[in-house]
Amino acid sequence: ASIITPKLEEYLQRPIELEFGAGARAALDVPGDGNTIFISTVGNMALLPAALPSFDLDPLTDLRPVTLLTATPDVLIVRSGLGINTLNELVAYAHEHPGELSYSHIAPRSIHRVEFSALLSELGIDATLDESLRGSAPAMEAVANGSVDLVITTSPYVAPLVDSGAAVALVVAHSSRIPLLPGVPTMLERGITSVPHGSWAGLFVPAGTSDQDLAEVFAAVEFAMADPSVIAQINDLGMEISLSDSPQAYADYLEAEGVRLRNAVEKYQID
């Protein structure tokens, strides 16, 4: 949030509050005056509304979508020392050693659980969930010390382990191969169409925001995200800028993401 706030304020010529987090219930009691913007993610704004009937926030009606902001590739890694260097070798190893490989999906309600469910199901891999791990940082530590074999999480977390040789990247959840790992195939290349991309973050404003204020905030985001310093800082974090063409285009994207993830939850029987 701190990366883009100064540029947003420069364009809008007023102070704003850019709040990161679930972006959920807090936004419902905030005035829609264009001065408060929320950042939230695929998990909170697409997966949970799709997967949990009891989830009491609809991002399309309880908030006003502004734009998709960033896309972050998610990467499946395997700890070094198992002789697994490609996805085909992972499949072969798993078939020879059913149930022996352990994995962490970071959190029960994370997008990474969907990614793992798709991967294991579509490739016929029998692996055992380590339910003790919560969060990407502990999972990376577990891969490094050899206590868990497989993890999927965002590329900024996995890059240090891959660079150090402690882990091997096997497949990427992204729309195309990434410069960080040009030799690593995407989920789409392996025919896993339920995972066409990885993680994303987007912006929202309170539901009471006027069309004029919404358009102004959208224009401010376009201005901020075109700044070379902002671009460099975001790329250094392992993320890509991925703006929507308009607030309506983002709303349409959110609706499509909800359908995709609802179908995935049903297909892979994720409870």
Side-chain angles (χ1 to χ4, degrees), residues 10-243:
E10 178 184 337
Y11 183 91
L12 295 169
Q13 292 296 294
R14 64 177 184 267
I16 64 161
E17 292 290 331
L18 186 59
E19 300 185 9
F20 182 82
R25 305 306 304 174
L28 303 185
D29 299 321
V30 174
D33 55 11
N35 294 328
T36 304
I37 305 169
F38 297 88
I39 301 179
S40 200
T41 63
V42 57
N44 291 303
M45 290 295 134
L47 176 59
L48 292 183
L52 294 179
S54 61
F55 194 70
D56 59 352
L57 179 84
D58 184 336
L60 295 173
T61 57
D62 295 327
L63 301 169
R64 295 203 72 179
V66 179
T67 181
L68 189 65
L69 192 67
T70 58
T72 307
D74 294 332
V75 183
L76 170 68
I77 57 171
V78 60
R79 68 176 178 87
S80 297
L82 291 171
I84 300 171
N85 295 291
T86 68
L87 201 56
N88 286 340
E89 290 177 353
L90 170 63
V91 172
Y93 186 99
H95 287 174
E96 293 173 9
H97 307 274
E100 291 186 15
L101 290 170
S102 60
Y103 72 95
S104 168
H105 56 208
I106 307 302
R109 301 298 183 191
S110 75
I111 192 65
H112 309 306
R113 181 178 181 187
V114 176
E115 292 164 344
F116 247 123
S117 296
L119 187 73
L120 299 181
S121 176
E122 301 292 346
L123 298 183
I125 295 173
D126 180 6
T128 300
L129 173 64
D130 184 335
E131 299 188 64
S132 68
L133 293 169
R134 291 289 186 273
S136 293
M140 294 302 96
E141 183 178 347
V143 171
N145 65 30
S147 59
V148 72
D149 300 315
L150 300 163
V151 172
I152 295 178
T153 191
T154 53
S155 54
Y157 278 104
V158 308
L161 268 68
V162 174
D163 290 344
S164 71
V168 178
L170 300 179
V171 70
V172 175
H174 198 54
S175 58
S176 59
R177 295 195 182 198
I178 62 176
L180 177 69
L181 301 164
V184 178
T186 67
M187 294 269 204
L188 286 174
E189 288 179 67
R190 292 305 304 253
I192 306 174
T193 57
S194 55
V195 187
H197 51 74
S199 299
W200 54 257
L203 297 182
F204 300 81
V205 290
T209 303
S210 68
D211 290 347
Q212 180 178 341
D213 285 340
L214 177 64
E216 189 176 46
V217 170
F218 180 78
V221 176
E222 287 188 310
F223 171 80
M225 300 301 269
D227 183 81
S229 174
V230 170
I231 294 171
Q233 291 180 76
I234 288 175
N235 289 344
D236 285 347
L237 293 173
M239 299 183 291
E240 299 176 0
I241 293 172
S242 183
L243 296 184

